[in-house]
Amino acid sequence: MFSSLLRKTSFLVLASVCLSRGAAAQDAVLQVGANILVGRGPEGRLLVEPHLAAHPTDPHHLLAVGWVTTASALTAAREGRSVAHCATFLSSDSGRSWARRDLTSAGCGDPWVALTAQGPAVLTALGRHASLPDSSRQLLVFFSGDGGRTWHDVPQSLGRGHDAPRAAAASDGTVYILSGQGWRDSAGRLRWSVFVGRARPGRLYVEILPRIFPSNLNLNSDGLAVLSDGALVITYNDYQRNVRGFTPDSGVLKGRRTWAMLSTERGEAFSIPLLVTESCYTRPTFLAVDTSSGPYRDRLYHVCVGDRERGILLTYSADRAEQWSEATPIEALGSRDRSRQDPQVAVSGRGIVGIAWNDRRDDPSGRCYAPYFTASHDGGRTFAPGVRVASALSCPDPARNGDAFRRWPTGGDYFGLAASADGRFHLLWSDARNGVFELWTAAVTVRAAQKE
C-alpha cells in the first residue's frame, strides 16, 4: 500500500469569472484543492507520462497509471535492456490517498487506463512481458476485474508496430482500444493503419476489429470517445506522404490534418473520414464527449496546440463529427514558443467542459512549467481565465532526469485529466518541484458564484 503525502499548506485558488453567453452572463468559480503527492520512484527512478480514469458512478474511485523509468532509460532501450515498467495507483477517497501496485511489464510506453461502471478496468501500454513467446515490443493489455485493485499477471498481446494506444469505456461496460499500427500489405508496402480493439462487457479479452487504412499517408491515431447511444468516434492525424517509416523530413505535408470517423456498428465499420481541422501544430490531440442530459449532450470536443505551441485550440462538433467549428484559442496566445503544451480535455456529468495544459507563463526564463485549468459552461463557446493548479513550479533538473527530460521536458506527451461522478475535475501530472519527475494530483471544483 502506498499512502500519499499531503502538503502541510494546502493550495487554494479561487477565480471568479464572467462567462458571456449571448446577452446573458454566468458567474463561475474555479476552486483548486490541495496538491497531493501520488507517487515517487525509489532512488534513481522517475515517474512520467501518467493517465487517470474516474469511475462513472462512484466519485471516490480514481485509477491512475504511470511510467516508472530511469534517467538512462532510452539509452538502455537502444541497447536492448529494459529498465522501465508500469505502476498503477488506486484511490478510494477522491484522490486524498493512493495505493500503488507495480506491474511486471518490461517497458511502459504510452500507458493508459479505462474504468467501467460494471467493475472491470483495462490498462494498455507498449512493452514486453516474460510470459509471452514474442519478446519484441508489443501493445500489452492488462485486465482487472475489480476496478484496478488487483491485476491479472499475464497481459494479452495485440501485436507489434503500435503507437499511442488509447482506451475508453462505454456505458454498457464495453472497452474500446485505439492505436496507430504499421502494417504491410500484400505487396510488402508499409501502411499505417488505425487499429481498433473491443473488450465486450464482462470479458477480459480484446477482439481485434478490421483495421482501417484511410490512405497511403503516415498517420497517428489520437482520439477516442463513445456517444450516449454507444456510437464510437475516433480521430487521427495525417502529416506525411512517405510510407517507408517515420522519416522526419521526407514527404511532409504542408500542414497536419485531423480527421474523425464514426461507427454505429460497435467499431466493426466506420464512416468516411470527416475533416476536423488543419490548425493543429503538432500532436498528440485529444477528444472528449458530453454524455450528460444537458443541452450539449453528445457534443464532441477536440483540443490541440496551435502554431509554435503558443496556445491551446478547441474545436467542437454538435452533429456526431460531421461538421466542426473553427479551431480557436481558449485564451490569449503566449508570448514565446512552446509556452502552452500538452492539452487535455474532459466533460463532467453536468456538461461542463474542462481543459488542462502545461504552461510556462510564470517563469520569465521559460524553463519551468505548471499545469493550468479552465472550464466552460456554454458548450465551449467561452472559457474562464485559466488558473494554475500546481502550488509550485516544476523545474526539472536535466542531469537527474536525463533521457526522460530530453524526450519529455514536461514529463510526458500527456498527463491525466478526468471528471468524477460528483462533477469535480481531477488532474494528475508529472511534477518536478523537487527536481525529479514525480506524480502529483489536485482536484478542481467548478461552481456558480453566489449572487449578492
Side-chain angles (χ1 to χ4, degrees), residues 86-136:
C86 294
T88 65
F89 302 86
L90 177 70
S91 177
S92 300
D93 57 9
S94 301
R96 290 187 292 273
S97 64
W98 297 81
R100 175 172 174 168
R101 180 182 176 90
D102 288 70
L103 301 184
T104 56
S105 62
C108 185
D110 299 333
W112 203 270
V113 284
L115 186 57
T116 68
Q118 291 74 12
V122 168
L123 185 157
T124 60
L126 303 175
R128 304 173 179 85
H129 199 272
S131 67
L132 300 175
D134 188 344
S135 62
S136 62

Side-chain angles (χ1 to χ4, degrees), residues 154-165:
V154 179
Q156 179 184 350
S157 171
L158 298 182
R160 313 179 197 178
H162 291 270
D163 185 49

Side-chain angles (χ1 to χ4, degrees), residues 124-126 137-141 156-159 162 165 177 179 195:
T124 60
L126 303 175
R137 187 172 183 255
Q138 305 160 67
L139 175 50
L140 304 179
V141 184
Q156 179 184 350
S157 171
L158 298 182
H162 291 270
I177 293 172
S179 81
F195 172 96

Side-chain angles (χ1 to χ4, degrees), residues 266-338:
R266 300 173 61 83
E268 296 184 10
F270 282 86
S271 70
I272 62 171
L274 309 166
L275 183 64
V276 177
T277 181
E278 296 178 277
S279 299
C280 298
Y281 180 67
T282 186
R283 65 170 301 272
T285 65
F286 294 93
L287 184 70
V289 62
D290 182 348
T291 56
S292 75
S293 57
Y296 305 107
R297 181 177 176 86
D298 282 335
R299 179 168 289 195
L300 291 156
Y301 299 93
H302 175 272
V303 294
C304 64
V305 292
D307 187 29
R308 294 179 291 173
E309 298 178 270
R310 291 188 172 190
I312 307 302
L313 304 181
L314 171 74
T315 182
Y316 57 81
S317 172
D319 59 0
R320 301 166 68 86
E322 180 68 31
Q323 298 183 52
W324 295 77
S325 66
E326 288 295 321
T328 56
I330 61 172
E331 62 169 14
L333 300 182
S335 59
R336 63 164 64 94
D337 294 354
R338 300 180 64 81

Side-chain angles (χ1 to χ4, degrees), residues 178-253:
L178 172 74
S179 81
Q181 185 183 27
W183 194 261
R184 294 197 179 275
D185 64 16
S186 58
R189 291 182 294 253
L190 182 62
R191 303 295 191 192
W192 293 100
S193 70
V194 177
F195 172 96
V196 180
R198 179 181 64 200
R200 295 177 184 269
R203 299 184 187 178
L204 303 183
Y205 179 81
V206 176
E207 307 167 80
I208 298 176
L209 301 178
R211 291 174 179 82
I212 306 163
F213 296 89
S215 69
N216 67 342
L217 299 175
N218 283 354
L219 60 85
N220 302 113
S221 298
D222 270 338
L224 179 64
V226 185
L227 302 180
S228 60
D229 65 355
L232 179 65
V233 179
I234 63 173
T235 61
Y236 67 91
N237 298 268
D238 58 20
Y239 62 95
Q240 190 179 38
R241 293 183 179 87
N242 190 317
V243 295
R244 291 174 294 174
F246 288 98
T247 53
D249 301 317
S250 176
V252 175
L253 303 181

